[in-house]
Amino acid sequence: MVLSKKNERGGEDRKTGNSRYSEIESINSPRTRHVDDNTSTVFSAFVFAASFVVAMALLAVAGGAIDIWDLCIGFAVALAVAASVHVAAQWERVIVLRLGTFNRVSGPGLYFTIPFIERCVLRADTRTMLTGFGAEETLTSDLVPVDVDAAVFWMVWDPEKACMEVENYYDAVSMAAQTALRDAIGRKSISDITVHRDKLDQELRDKIEEKAGPWGISIISVEIRDIVIPKDLQRDMAAAAKAEREKDARIILAEVEKDVAAMLLEATEIYREDEMAFELRSMHLLNEGVKESNGTLVIPSSYSEGFGAARKQDR
């Protein structure tokens, strides 16, 4: 019975982890980046129909009557024209192979290929892309398991390299980012990761750029989204931070008391050398006390003699 509960907990934890990382992957730029996936198909169908109509019109003008052979010729011409005329979106670059070898990068807009000799194999997106990635329960240099989520912004600057040097540059960037993140976490302490997050961002960017650069991909920026540490460690870190703040407060208070004591010592030396100054200070304190209380203060006769001596000194 206990074992089944443990298994249920483990399944819940795995579901929670999977949902968490599916959320990270949901921010990725979609693999299909067309507003309408049928755009190229519709364009080819339009070219085919227009070419067939034009071919049949020319055959009708040339031969008069249209037979089955004219239909076959018109169909073949339309098929060849549709296979040679293509269109690419503004952000797309198309890799064209001629007899199996790289020939050129075409697009955007209208471009042409030689039917049955040249073919379009890949389309590269030159817009800024977003890939979310994470590292689950990765140990830091001080053996603390952490979960880190991050996002990398990148773009293809060389479509030829992106399509020819690596099989799938989308997955390659994601895997390179995950590997760089795990490596960076393993070489840093938990305090370095949480406090110096900007340095970790820059380090990850440099590492991913080093791997993705030969693929014709430029890394724009890397941003750490979230850092999750165990709850027990969170409580310990909060207690340590609180103790550190109390320590700083006590140090500041001690420094203030030290400064006040130094000033009091200096005032004591002044009053010791000049008794009249001490009496004037005493009268000033009495006067302030009477003003604040709005009452009458009864003082010993010795104080009244001090008032008289002070008045004589003023004269």
Side-chain angles (χ1 to χ4, degrees), residues 34-51:
H34 300 286
V35 178
D36 185 2
D37 292 339
N38 298 322
T39 301
S40 59
T41 304
V42 172
F43 178 78
S44 298
F46 172 77
V47 172
F48 176 85
S51 302

Side-chain angles (χ1 to χ4, degrees), residues 128-197:
T128 300
M129 310 301 294
L130 171 62
T131 299
F133 60 98
E136 185 178 4
E137 295 184 356
T138 305
L139 293 178
T140 61
S141 60
D142 47 357
L143 301 181
V144 177
V146 295
D147 297 343
V148 180
D149 302 339
V152 55
F153 295 87
W154 55 278
M155 65 179 298
V156 176
W157 61 269
D158 191 337
E160 178 184 353
K161 290 183 177 180
C163 295
M164 305 300 292
E165 297 294 334
V166 62
E167 180 182 2
N168 190 326
Y169 58 87
Y170 301 104
D171 292 340
V173 170
S174 178
M175 185 59 64
Q178 292 182 16
T179 304
L181 179 60
R182 290 182 177 274
D183 181 66
I185 292 175
R187 290 184 287 100
K188 294 183 179 295
S189 63
I190 184 63
S191 60
D192 292 335
I193 295 174
T194 55
V195 177
H196 304 291
R197 186 178 296 189

Side-chain angles (χ1 to χ4, degrees), residues 29-210:
S29 299
R31 295 291 181 87
T32 304
R33 281 161 288 277
H34 300 286
V35 178
D36 185 2
D37 292 339
N38 298 322
T39 301
S40 59
T41 304
V42 172
F43 178 78
S44 298
F46 172 77
V47 172
F48 176 85
S51 302
F52 182 77
V53 170
V54 172
M56 295 305 297
L58 293 176
L59 290 173
V61 172
I66 298 177
D67 55 12
I68 187 63
W69 295 107
D70 293 334
L71 291 175
C72 293
I73 294 173
F75 181 83
V77 170
L79 184 63
V81 173
S84 62
V85 181
H86 311 276
V87 64
Q90 178 65 35
W91 56 85
E92 288 182 335
R93 302 295 183 270
V94 182
I95 304 300
V96 179
L97 298 183
R98 177 177 294 176
L99 298 178
T101 60
F102 174 80
N103 181 259
R104 67 185 182 276
V105 177
S106 299
L110 193 67
Y111 65 97
F112 303 91
T113 59
I114 302 174
F116 311 110
I117 296 178
E118 295 179 345
R119 64 190 183 98
C120 308
V121 290
L122 293 171
R123 292 174 180 258
D125 196 320
T126 58
R127 294 176 295 180
T128 300
M129 310 301 294
L130 171 62
T131 299
F133 60 98
E136 185 178 4
E137 295 184 356
T138 305
L139 293 178
T140 61
S141 60
D142 47 357
L143 301 181
V144 177
V146 295
D147 297 343
V148 180
D149 302 339
V152 55
F153 295 87
W154 55 278
M155 65 179 298
V156 176
W157 61 269
D158 191 337
E160 178 184 353
K161 290 183 177 180
C163 295
M164 305 300 292
E165 297 294 334
V166 62
E167 180 182 2
N168 190 326
Y169 58 87
Y170 301 104
D171 292 340
V173 170
S174 178
M175 185 59 64
Q178 292 182 16
T179 304
L181 179 60
R182 290 182 177 274
D183 181 66
I185 292 175
R187 290 184 287 100
K188 294 183 179 295
S189 63
I190 184 63
S191 60
D192 292 335
I193 295 174
T194 55
V195 177
H196 304 291
R197 186 178 296 189
D198 54 343
K199 294 182 179 179
L200 180 59
D201 292 344
Q202 184 62 37
E203 181 179 347
L204 288 175
R205 181 189 178 281
D206 296 339
K207 288 290 185 180
I208 302 173
E209 179 77 30
E210 182 181 353

